[in-house]
Amino acid sequence: MWIKPSALLGAVASMLLLAACSGDDGSGDRPRVIASFYPFAFVAEQVGGDHVDVDNLTPPGAEPHDLELTPQQVADLTEASLVIYESGFQPAVDDGVEQAGLSGDAILDVTEVVTLAPATESADDESSDVDPHVWLDPTLMQQIATATADRLIEIDPSHRTAYERDRDQLVEQLEQLDTAYEQGLADCERRTIVTSHDAFGYLARRYDLEQIPIAGIDPHAEPAPSDQAQIADLVREDGITTVFTETLVSDDVAQSIADETGVTVATLDPIEGLDDATSDETYLDLMRDNLEVLREANGCT
Ligand SMILES: [Zn+2]
């Protein structure tokens, strides 16, 4: 049983809450879901609705690849009803799940739901030969939504109907998003996108774009000057109009390539986390913003 600290307003309140928890339908008994970073927290919130409490291990404004966990977060993992994460993406979370001794129904490892593809450029970052950025393909997000609902139903079968309804609603929204991308990117002058790190491989494959990442899978891996020069040449040759940067990491290299080639810089969000500027937008909003900048950059009609 886990109780929100904010609910403990006083001795009387806590006694009442404890009494409620011992009943059949106490709201303090809600499953606690811990997601390792924003896209999975979004899915858990959408599918779980009011019947679950969702925490995100990656704080707003933080970049999830190199997340470190606090001792409190590691302790929280042992209390979770369900931890949603992607093994191999955030080593600190892998360690935390292991330390907490979590297994079986208590974990949902997204790599067991979605088949990971190879990285576009594994030479830049030898530690990652698979691409973790599955959430940028809306059809893969549908699979994650379905798996999350299945797990919530196992943990909390009394709310099966609500989980199924909310899952269906999210899957439908993701289908509409997929259709918007297919139609929006069907007829474009260019199909090459220069991105700040190798985050858009799944999106590019799904919608027939070619991604040229400036950094590797890890956004902090800076390219060699010779690679930078090669990307600048390609921008000129292909008539590329835009070099994409992102919100949570430095855009120095992208900016210097744009300056050198005289093209525009625009934000293409890998949606690894929310920052202050986008905190009132959801995954679905940010994906639609991304579609608009892609359409503009690539001259899509
Ligand atoms: Zn990334």
Side-chain angles (χ1 to χ4, degrees), residues 256-295:
S256 89
I257 291 173
D259 290 348
E260 188 187 335
T261 54
V263 303
T264 307
V265 169
T267 301
L268 189 64
D269 192 337
I271 320 182
E272 300 190 339
L274 301 179
D275 67 8
D276 289 341
T278 54
S279 55
D280 59 343
E281 291 192 284
T282 68
Y283 167 88
L284 295 167
D285 299 324
L286 295 169
M287 284 294 283
R288 289 189 182 269
D289 292 348
N290 280 347
L291 175 58
E292 285 319 304
V293 294
L294 286 168
R295 281 173 47 74

Side-chain angles (χ1 to χ4, degrees), residues 63 65 89 133 197 199 217 219 272:
E63 196 286 309
H65 283 265
F89 177 45
H133 302 91
H197 88 281
I217 286 287
E272 300 190 339

